Amino acid sequence: GLMGSLMKPKKTEITEKLRREINKVVNRYIDQGIAELVPGVLFVDEVHMLDIECFTYLSRALESAIAPIVVFASNRGHARIRGAEDIVAPHGIPRDLLDRTK
C-alpha cells in the first residue's frame, strides 16, 4: 500500500559525475587541511559468500590511492565463484584478485 511505498528505501546509483564532484570536494578539504583520509583495514569473513559483482567492486577499490588493507577469511578450499557460472577458484575468490595479493 501507500505506507509501504513511502517507507521503502530508495536505491540510487552513484554516477561517475557525482563521484567526481565528491572527489573534488574531498580533495579540496584535504588541500585546505580541513580533512585527512586515513586508509583502514577491511576484514571480510566468509569471503566465499561474496559474488562476482562484489569482487569487481573490491578490485576497483584496491586500485585507489587510499585502498584499505584487506583481509579475507574463508573455510573453503576450492569453491564456485557466486554469480560466475562454473568458475571454481581457491576459496571462491577470482584468481585475478588473488594474483594481486601479498
Side-chain angles (χ1 to χ4, degrees):
L2 178 61
M3 286 306 289
S5 64
L6 290 175
M7 302 304 283
K8 194 180 285 186
K10 295 186 172 143
K11 295 180 181 178
T12 303
E13 183 70 26
I14 296 175
T15 64
E16 280 302 313
K17 181 180 178 186
L18 178 58
R19 193 177 310 273
R20 283 192 304 270
E21 291 300 316
I22 291 170
N23 285 343
K24 282 182 193 176
V25 171
V26 169
N27 288 334
R28 187 173 69 239
Y29 285 174
I30 291 169
D31 291 343
Q32 294 172 351
I34 297 171
E36 178 183 5
L37 284 178
V38 179
V41 176
L42 173 64
F43 181 82
V44 182
D45 194 11
E46 303 287 338
V47 69
H48 58 273
M49 299 296 291
L50 298 181
D51 66 11
I52 193 70
E53 290 180 18
C54 290
F55 287 119
T56 300
Y57 174 80
L58 280 171
S59 185
R60 286 187 65 195
L62 292 173
E63 294 170 1
S64 166
I66 59 164
I69 295 169
V70 179
V71 178
F72 290 140
S74 176
N75 62 357
R76 299 290 196 268
H78 280 72
R80 187 178 71 79
I81 300 171
R82 292 173 173 255
E85 293 300 318
D86 302 324
I87 299 176
V88 175
H91 314 292
I93 302 170
R95 289 186 188 273
D96 62 329
L97 189 57
L98 284 175
D99 288 346
R100 298 171 63 184
T101 62
K102 294 180 183 177

